[in-house]
Amino acid sequence: MRREKSTYVIQAVAHALDVIEQFGSDREELGVTDLSKRLKLHKNNVFRLLATLEARGYVEQNKATENYRLGVRCLQLAQRFAAQMGLLRQAESVLAELARSLRETAVLAVHRSAGMIPLAAVEGTQPVRVVLQIGAPMPIHCTALGKAHLAFFGGEDLPQRIPPELPAQTSRTITDPQRFLAEIEATARRGFAAEMGEFVEDVHAVAVPVRDYTGAVVACLGLSGPAHRLPPEAIESTFGRAVMRAGEELSRRLGHQP
């Protein structure tokens, strides 16, 4: 018998969220005593919760009053949530058009610690097509989506961002770090990432970055299909450039100006 999720609640985490939720339009700042009374918790427990939240940037202390207020990390989370919801809405028609025009499966994914997470996909119209599981992590080192993220995320620390281990998923997976670094650098020069049976045998893919109004990479847009329909020469001449145009269109919708 499946247990209710409420039985798995961690009390300390719940208390920390309770603290954050006490800050509202009526009280921008609250002290330890105020929070202790509101939450019916001992002052020492409230102080420890505030210290933890302050260390992570979710609250900050007004040194003049010694009261606390919401920190910038809360704003960053709100902006991330808003951007992600806007991203999905704007991506719907772009994914649909890409899948319709090329007849292969189009996907939008974001990078998380677990890998590349597909947020939305539109399957191709071919009888045999690639089917992706929304929300299921995909490796960053052997997928076009992951390569696109690594190549275009930005920064000078690319060698440090390469995964320390590159486990083989198929016989075509690149497992040598130096060769993989060269592949990512070539991807950045070319403008799109390619996957040639490195994650799933006989499946090829192409992917590009999606940028927001700040120029930051917020997602990756990809296209996947059977290897015989996406051979390397077709990816170079047709599919790669088509996906690049779709990525540029979605980026434009998010306010990006090259």
Side-chain angles (χ1 to χ4, degrees):
M1 182 177 177
R2 179 174 293 182
R3 299 170 64 186
E4 291 294 327
K5 285 188 176 180
S6 59
T7 63
Y8 297 99
V9 171
I10 299 173
Q11 192 175 46
V13 177
H15 286 331
L17 293 173
D18 287 339
V19 169
I20 292 175
E21 290 172 357
Q22 295 307 305
F23 296 92
S25 57
D26 59 326
R27 294 290 300 275
E28 293 183 1
E29 293 188 1
L30 291 167
V32 174
T33 301
D34 292 329
L35 287 166
S36 177
K37 290 179 179 177
R38 288 183 175 218
L39 300 174
K40 296 180 174 57
L41 294 174
H42 193 277
K43 286 185 180 181
N44 186 52
N45 290 341
V46 172
F47 178 79
R48 292 170 64 186
L49 289 167
L50 287 167
T52 302
L53 292 168
E54 184 179 17
R56 299 297 297 270
Y58 289 96
V59 301
E60 58 187 28
Q61 188 178 38
N62 183 332
K63 300 305 181 184
T65 64
E66 296 188 348
N67 289 334
Y68 292 83
R69 59 196 174 207
L70 292 179
V72 69
R73 185 68 175 140
C74 292
L75 174 61
Q76 292 172 341
L77 282 180
Q79 291 176 329
R80 190 174 298 175
F81 174 79
Q84 184 165 302
M85 293 305 98
L87 171 65
L88 289 175
R89 286 195 301 272
Q90 296 295 340
E92 287 179 2
S93 59
V94 175
L95 287 171
E97 175 58 24
L98 187 62
R100 185 202 63 78
S101 62
L102 298 180
R103 304 184 66 196
E104 304 294 353
T105 298
V107 60
L108 181 77
V110 295
H111 177 255
R112 295 292 183 267
S113 58
M116 299 304 295
I117 311 297
L119 295 181
V122 177
E123 293 182 13
T125 57
Q126 303 273 22
V128 177
R129 55 187 179 271
V130 173
V131 177
L132 294 170
Q133 184 177 351
I134 301 303
M138 301 171 68
I140 195 172
H141 71 287
C142 58
T143 60
L145 293 164
K147 291 181 187 179
H149 172 78
L150 288 171
F152 300 104
F153 187 72
E156 302 298 324
D157 60 341
L158 176 58
Q160 285 70 45
R161 290 190 285 113
I162 299 297
E165 296 183 0
L166 306 170
Q169 299 291 321
T170 72
S171 61
R172 304 198 62 173
T173 304
I174 301 174
T175 57
D176 177 73
Q178 291 304 314
R179 184 183 164 205
F180 185 74
L181 178 59
E183 167 78 2
I184 299 303
E185 291 173 339
T187 295
R189 291 192 298 270
R190 184 173 54 209
F192 61 85
E195 169 194 334
M196 306 291 184
E198 299 152 58
F199 178 41
V200 178
E201 293 281 3
D202 298 322
V203 171
H204 286 185
V206 59
V208 299
V210 175
R211 301 180 186 274
D212 66 5
Y213 66 96
T214 69
V217 174
V218 294
C220 291
L221 181 70
L223 189 83
S224 300
H228 69 276
R229 293 205 301 261
L230 273 74
E233 58 272 18
I235 286 178
E236 289 289 339
S237 63
T238 304
F239 292 101
R241 305 199 180 281
V243 177
M244 282 179 67
R245 289 193 295 271
E248 290 167 357
E249 169 61 18
L250 180 51
S251 297
R252 184 192 65 77
R253 295 186 182 194
L254 297 176
H256 177 59
Q257 296 181 346

